[in-house]
Amino acid sequence: MADNRLIVALDVHKFEDVEKLVDTLGDSVSYYKVGMELFYSEGAKVISYLKEKGKNIFLDLKLHDIPNTVAEGLCSLMVQGADIMNVHASGGFTMMKTAAERVHKKAEEMGIPCPKLIAVTILTSINQEDWQGLGMQREIREQVVRLAKLTREAGLDGVVASPQEAAAIREACGNDFLIITPGIRPAGASIDDQSRIATPEAALKNGATHLVVGRPIRAVENPREAAEAIIKEMESVK
């Protein structure tokens, strides 16, 4: 039943909430996102738990610092067993290239598969007004594509971007580039604090490879039913 293109966001504070949701979703979900909220609260034991359950993990910590610090931080995180890790593309080409080279080298030395390394372009919560308030002259869409191309040039495997920019990224970066899209909202779901959103079907048709879904699954009465409804919608797009 599970579709690896669906990544459920474990945006909770407590380990027992993780256990409850993972048990509830069972074999309907195979991929989970562990972000700052959970990792800073519970640490590496969450990663160990999910690996023991046979789940894939997107460790969403969005590293952004000087190149050496980010590269070494990712190497430290990699040994915990995440399948995808990320940085902020706005950290620049040198930061991303250093990170990619260092992580690949470390994985080779350890004799383990190298996790996918991706970069966050522009947060999906940012709208045009927020963007202009930062003093940015380019349109959000134009800057997202620019950052995606820079990410690919630096040797990373893909990006995090809104589903509204996925088609433009796919055209610019080719078919072998990961595009992981938050801001996924099934028809009728609450928008919450997201601005640039799309339905699961629309996001995949636009070129997304993975969909990150949190509240539309986690915060409903029957999470498994919600997850399976999203998977059913995804099945129409191969």
Side-chain angles (χ1 to χ4, degrees):
M1 181 65 197
D3 188 323
N4 267 342
R5 296 177 296 174
L6 173 63
I7 303 176
V8 173
L10 292 172
D11 294 334
V12 297
H13 288 286
K14 299 178 181 178
F15 186 73
E16 51 263 40
D17 291 332
V18 173
E19 292 179 302
K20 181 179 178 181
L21 183 58
V22 172
D23 285 345
T24 297
L25 293 174
D27 60 2
S28 65
V29 172
S30 57
Y31 227 124
Y32 287 94
K33 179 180 81 73
V34 175
M36 297 178 190
E37 179 180 352
L38 178 58
F39 192 79
Y40 293 164
S41 175
E42 297 290 354
K45 74 175 185 179
V46 174
I47 307 298
S48 298
Y49 166 76
L50 291 171
K51 298 306 287 186
E52 288 169 4
K53 289 283 188 178
K55 307 300 183 181
N56 294 314
I57 303 160
F58 169 22
L59 185 57
D60 179 29
L61 299 182
K62 304 180 179 74
L63 276 66
H64 187 170
D65 211 309
I66 63 173
N68 186 67
T69 298
V70 168
E72 291 305 312
L74 287 169
C75 287
S76 295
L77 291 168
M78 177 180 65
V79 301
Q80 297 177 18
D83 300 280
I84 300 174
M85 303 186 297
N86 64 356
V87 301
H88 265 293
S90 56
F93 176 81
T94 301
M95 186 199 80
M96 291 193 287
K97 187 172 189 294
T98 302
E101 290 175 348
R102 202 81 59 85
V103 167
H104 278 274
K105 182 180 179 181
K106 182 71 172 180
E108 186 177 352
E109 289 174 354
M110 295 178 64
I112 62 173
C114 188
K116 299 296 185 183
L117 188 58
I118 63 176
V120 177
T121 53
I122 307 297
L123 298 173
T124 53
S125 60
I126 292 179
N127 57 30
Q128 194 62 39
E129 183 180 356
D130 293 330
W131 187 242
Q132 290 172 347
L134 292 171
M136 301 299 183
Q137 300 301 315
R138 297 176 183 272
E139 292 293 318
I140 291 177
R141 181 189 199 73
E142 183 183 355
Q143 183 66 5
V144 166
V145 173
R146 181 184 180 91
L147 289 172
K149 291 167 71 175
L150 190 69
T151 298
R152 185 174 180 83
E153 186 181 347
L156 275 66
D157 300 291
V159 292
V160 179
S162 99
Q164 294 183 8
E165 290 98 36
I169 293 170
R170 179 62 64 218
E171 182 177 357
C173 296
N175 292 327
D176 59 343
F177 196 64
L178 297 179
I179 304 175
I180 298 181
T181 57
I184 301 301
R185 293 293 183 270
S190 171
I191 292 175
D192 300 306
D193 58 357
Q194 300 284 6
S195 292
R196 303 182 342 269
I197 65 172
T199 64
E201 181 181 12
L204 291 173
K205 284 183 175 178
N206 282 345
T209 56
H210 297 78
L211 312 181
V212 176
V213 184
R215 279 165 288 199
I217 290 175
R218 187 187 71 251
V220 298
E221 186 175 348
N222 191 328
R224 180 165 184 140
E225 184 178 276
E228 291 176 353
I230 289 172
I231 291 168
K232 186 175 182 180
E233 182 177 343
M234 294 168 64
E235 287 174 351
S236 65
V237 185
K238 297 297 185 183

